[in-house]
Amino acid sequence: MPYCPEVPHPARRLAAVVAVVVLLAGCGSAAPTPPASASSAAPTSASPSPTPAPTPSVTPITWSDCGAGFQCGILDAPRDYAEPTGPTVRLALIRLPATDPAHRIGSLVVNPGGPGGSGIEFVRSSAERIFPTDIRARFDIIGFDPRGVGDSTPVRCVDDLEHFVPVDARAEDAADLADLVAGAKTFAAGCQRRNADLLAHLSTLDTARDLDLLRASLGDTKLTYLGFSYGTLIGALYASLFPSHVRALALDGALDPSLDLAAIRTGQARAFEAAFGRFLAWCAGDTSCAFRSGGRPGPAFDALLARIDRAPLPTPRLLDREPVNPTIALLAVTGALYSRGVWPLLAAALAEAQAGDGTDLLLLSDPFRGRKPNGAYSNMVDAYAAITCLDYPAPRDVAAYSALADSLAAAAPRFGRLLAFNDIDCAFWGAPPVRTPAAVSAPGVPPLVVIGSRGDPATPYPWAESLARQLGATLVTREGEGHTGYAASECVRDAVDVYLLDLAPPPAGLDCR
């Protein structure tokens, strides 16, 4: 249902702010989304094929005006690159043309993350805010919805996501585990039934090949690319497959392609736990924090979550919306940790929840489930699961997820179990994985740049260190909270912009404080 017209202004403002945070943080980018597990979510890894796929034909893109200075287009790509003349998938594109065409360098292709994030929405809503005038002058800014996502040929698994959220995705007892597993089975079966011909062709490796087809169709001899979060995996695989086609790649909020699912979730669980600890420390010490709770916000949060576990919180300022259960509450918290700027909003939402009103917690969770302000849902959730389950060989036995949950609960008591069950859909997936995690390499590639943030909860900083080593890239470090650095740090942005414009990598060891 759409939001009630009488929703108070602060709640509407909260929804708008969080929507912006999702885009700036590169969400989808490791965003918490899948419905059967309400993830906190990092994307997948895959190793490139040792044998290049046949080259499909290249057709120039026809662009048409789509408002506010943007142009839109469509690119057809092979559904299966082993059959380049076979059935196709549609790739939806958007372009913000360079403002100084006489000095245009080429196209800057961007991806905001996910899996499941829309590059079209990212460019349309954020390109003019994020990218400085010199970047917009010299490059056409190009966004695309990867295969399976948004306006491209989409994957859809269920009709209505409004109430398709498990009560408690931590599955601490048999009833909650049964609820979680039943939802995962229903979701996976729907994906297979509705997308039988598409489901096996949505991997990140396919998207990396689409990216090279896009490069050629744009008329660029070499690719200039900026990827956030999951977009760094697309870029890393592209470099490994097409090193001679690279002009510049900047990879912000890096994933480590060598990690398997258990290692990814373990790293995230520890990182989210640590980030929430820093939020609580700020709240305890700052009298402006609405959830300060006498300087003991940690015990107050645990008591609140236990209360929500006993009885979900109503959302009285919204019309016909679901109450806040433990899954939604934890989803709101993990989502808010993507940006330091949202901490005060999270504190206010927790204080309202403490007073019995879950409205703002639900609003905080909405963008990370793909819910739009008009009440419709994007297919971010569906695409997330479809891509993740192809990119990883996940356990097929529910007991393996339970064992990981028990293990992570000790290291990350608030978020460990949630993340351990993040990928339970994959236990019942109808298409087999196509790659296993492996380190990447790109012999002969020009200098690359990787950005990592020490306070990043979704893509922990050691992953950036590892990816930079694998690719021989220059590592830029941001000292700060939140997911990705380009939009959060002028120092990072300046270094990346010089690299994209002049192909001059930042100095080794650059530390942006």
Side-chain angles (χ1 to χ4, degrees):
M1 298 294 292
Y3 293 132
C4 174
E6 286 75 36
V7 172
H9 177 69
R12 294 201 303 271
R13 184 178 69 242
L14 174 67
V17 169
V18 173
V20 171
V21 168
V22 171
L23 290 169
L24 297 192
C27 175
S29 60
T33 28
S37 48
S39 103
S40 191
T44 60
S45 332
S47 54
S49 169
T51 305
T55 302
S57 59
V58 175
T59 304
I61 299 160
T62 300
W63 298 98
S64 59
D65 179 83
C66 52
F70 293 95
Q71 299 170 342
C72 292
I74 296 294
L75 175 64
D76 290 326
R79 187 173 69 196
D80 183 350
Y81 274 90
E83 300 178 10
T85 60
T88 61
V89 295
R90 180 184 70 250
L91 302 178
L93 316 171
I94 193 168
R95 176 169 72 174
L96 182 63
T99 58
D100 184 2
H103 298 95
R104 177 183 173 276
I105 294 171
S107 304
L108 171 60
V109 182
V110 298
N111 179 275
S118 168
I120 290 177
E121 290 183 8
F122 176 72
V123 168
R124 184 178 286 279
S125 65
S126 302
E128 292 179 305
R129 288 197 303 271
I130 293 178
F131 296 110
T133 54
D134 51 354
I135 292 291
R136 289 185 282 113
R138 305 291 301 281
F139 289 104
D140 297 337
I141 309 297
I142 306 291
F144 71 104
D145 285 357
R147 56 174 61 208
V149 175
D151 291 334
S152 294
T153 299
V155 56
R156 276 287 188 185
C157 302
V158 294
D159 286 324
D160 182 13
L161 285 168
E162 185 68 15
H163 302 287
F164 202 82
V165 175
V167 172
D168 191 346
R170 298 170 298 176
E172 294 177 309
D173 59 39
D176 286 339
L177 181 61
D179 175 50
L180 187 66
V181 169
K185 288 180 176 178
T186 299
F187 188 77
C191 285
Q192 176 63 30
R193 183 176 64 255
R194 296 174 175 219
N195 308 276
D197 294 332
L198 179 65
L199 208 60
H201 305 290
L202 298 173
S203 72
T204 305
L205 186 54
D206 285 317
T207 295
R209 289 172 172 149
D210 290 342
L211 186 56
D212 196 57
L213 182 61
L214 173 58
R215 171 202 59 78
S217 298
L218 290 168
D220 291 350
T221 304
K222 300 198 174 196
L223 175 71
T224 303
Y225 175 82
L226 174 58
F228 300 94
S229 192
Y230 165 73
T232 68
L233 180 61
I234 298 172
L237 291 183
Y238 183 90
S240 68
L241 285 171
F242 307 104
S244 64
H245 296 182
V246 172
R247 176 185 175 272
L249 295 182
L251 308 177
D252 184 6
L255 292 167
D256 181 350
S258 70
L259 298 180
D260 63 16
L261 266 182
I264 289 279
R265 302 311 173 209
T266 298
Q268 283 191 315
R270 293 178 184 273
F272 273 107
E273 199 78 28
F276 190 59
R278 294 189 294 272
F279 162 81
L280 292 173
W282 161 77
C283 191
D286 191 324
T287 56
S288 72
C289 177
F291 192 64
R292 189 164 180 267
S293 305
R296 291 173 53 80
F301 174 78
D302 294 335
L304 174 61
L305 196 59
R307 174 183 162 193
I308 294 171
D309 198 13
R310 293 190 297 271
L313 285 179
T315 53
R317 289 179 287 132
L318 298 174
L319 177 65
D320 294 338
R321 290 298 310 276
E322 67 268 41
V324 170
N325 59 30
T327 298
I328 290 173
L330 288 169
L331 194 61
V333 173
T334 54
L337 295 175
Y338 275 59
S339 171
R340 174 63 178 81
V342 181
W343 285 11
L345 295 175
L346 173 60
L350 291 172
E352 289 189 355
Q354 202 173 35
D357 183 351
T359 297
D360 282 353
L361 281 180
L362 186 62
L363 288 171
L364 275 172
S365 77
D366 276 346
F368 294 88
R369 294 184 288 154
R371 193 180 196 276
K372 301 179 181 181
N374 66 1
Y377 281 84
S378 74
N379 80 323
M380 180 172 69
V381 164
D382 315 67
Y384 176 94
I387 296 166
T388 298
C389 296
L390 285 184
D391 279 359
Y392 278 110
R396 306 290 288 189
D397 183 357
V398 171
Y401 298 88
S402 295
L404 181 61
D406 292 341
S407 172
L408 292 187
R414 294 184 176 102
F415 304 106
R417 296 189 66 86
L418 183 76
L419 280 156
F421 286 108
N422 185 79
D423 310 293
I424 191 123
D425 297 335
C426 299
F428 311 103
W429 208 248
V434 299
R435 288 291 175 263
T436 55
V440 294
S441 62
V445 76
L448 310 180
V449 174
V450 171
I451 303 101
S453 298
R454 289 196 187 274
D456 194 325
T459 52
Y461 178 74
W463 298 357
E465 294 180 301
S466 179
L467 182 61
R469 285 193 300 269
Q470 292 172 42
L471 292 175
T474 298
L475 176 63
V476 174
T477 299
R478 179 176 73 95
E479 305 287 347
E481 299 293 337
H483 183 42
T484 72
Y486 184 84
S489 166
E490 185 177 355
C491 168
V492 170
R493 190 163 52 252
D494 287 347
V496 171
D497 290 346
V498 168
Y499 166 67
L500 295 175
L501 289 165
D502 302 329
L503 301 181
L510 177 62
D511 196 323
C512 289
R513 297 180 182 273

